[in-house]
Amino acid sequence: WARSFAEQVPESLWSATFYPEPEAPAYVGKLVADGVEVFKVHVQVGEFHLDDPLLDGVWGQLEDAGTPVVVHAGSGPVGNAFTGPDPLERVLRRHPRLRVIVAHMGHPFEELLMNYMRKWSTLYLSCTAYAPKYIDANLVKFMNTKTYRGRVLWGSDEPWFPMRRSLEEAKALPLDDEAMALFLGG
């Protein structure tokens, strides 16, 4: 379905997901070879740890291919035993070139994740379904810093978080022109 949708809607990306199971390295490898553009894993819903040993081969393949993965590593609004930044940190220590986009700013671990971003240059935060008006001054300063520009990404999660409102809030942030353009994907 996702491949067909991406073919019909050129501005979308072909996405896929995976689960910690023995077959995961094989099907992820095939998807990467076939051209999948991004993966998404939601540990809160799937109820698994990012550092599950069954995913070691998957992380290595994604790291080598440079294929990004959107990860739900935060525990907001409701966490469970599988959420939180610790498993993500363990994965990044083993796979430092892995391109990870943390959904929803990793709420409530934004500050800790900014520290992770200082260690791993391929780690990003997405404010999808996270109101830009809640981005604090410390994070704005981080986003304006040349080293970290383009590492916090805007998104809306329409229809649950209206795109128009989110975009208006994003444009109201005190970012310089270059930082704003990178934040909005320009």
Side-chain angles (χ1 to χ4, degrees):
W1 181 91
R3 184 177 194 169
S4 175
F5 182 82
E7 290 169 352
Q8 294 171 29
V9 183
E11 58 273 11
S12 69
L13 299 176
W14 177 18
S15 63
T17 192
F18 51 85
Y19 189 79
E21 54 194 344
E23 306 83 17
Y27 65 74
V28 166
K30 179 165 180 7
L31 286 164
V32 168
D34 288 348
V36 75
E37 297 169 283
V38 63
F39 284 87
K40 175 185 173 185
V41 293
H42 201 309
V43 297
Q44 185 179 32
V45 173
E47 296 187 335
F48 63 91
H49 290 288
L50 290 172
D51 60 345
D52 186 301
L54 290 171
L55 294 177
D56 285 344
V58 170
W59 298 129
Q61 288 179 59
L62 296 178
E63 179 182 35
D64 291 344
T67 306
V69 58
V70 176
V71 172
H72 289 255
S75 60
V78 178
N80 63 16
F82 304 96
T83 59
D86 295 342
L88 174 62
E89 181 182 25
R90 290 189 292 270
V91 168
L92 289 170
R93 284 179 192 261
R94 290 195 306 266
H95 303 281
R97 296 175 295 113
L98 183 66
R99 293 178 62 200
V100 176
I101 302 164
V102 179
H104 317 303
M105 303 292 283
H107 185 72
F109 304 105
E110 298 91 324
E111 293 289 328
L112 179 59
L113 290 165
M114 283 192 300
N115 287 330
Y116 288 3
M117 291 169 74
R118 291 177 176 96
K119 296 179 194 176
W120 293 288
S121 64
T122 56
L123 180 62
Y124 298 78
L125 299 179
S126 168
C127 76
T128 300
Y130 181 101
K133 68 182 177 185
Y134 295 120
I135 293 176
D136 68 21
N138 191 28
L139 185 53
V140 167
K141 181 179 176 184
F142 182 85
M143 293 167 69
N144 273 318
T145 305
K146 288 232 182 247
T147 305
Y148 303 105
R149 286 180 184 202
R151 304 269 305 279
V152 178
L153 310 171
W154 174 78
S156 71
D157 214 3
E158 183 80 32
W160 297 276
F161 195 83
M163 184 183 301
R164 184 174 308 223
R165 184 181 78 204
S166 177
L167 187 56
E168 288 170 4
E169 290 176 7
K171 288 180 177 180
L173 290 172
L175 297 173
D176 65 45
D177 291 343
E178 180 185 6
M180 181 64 75
L182 290 169
F183 176 52
L184 297 177

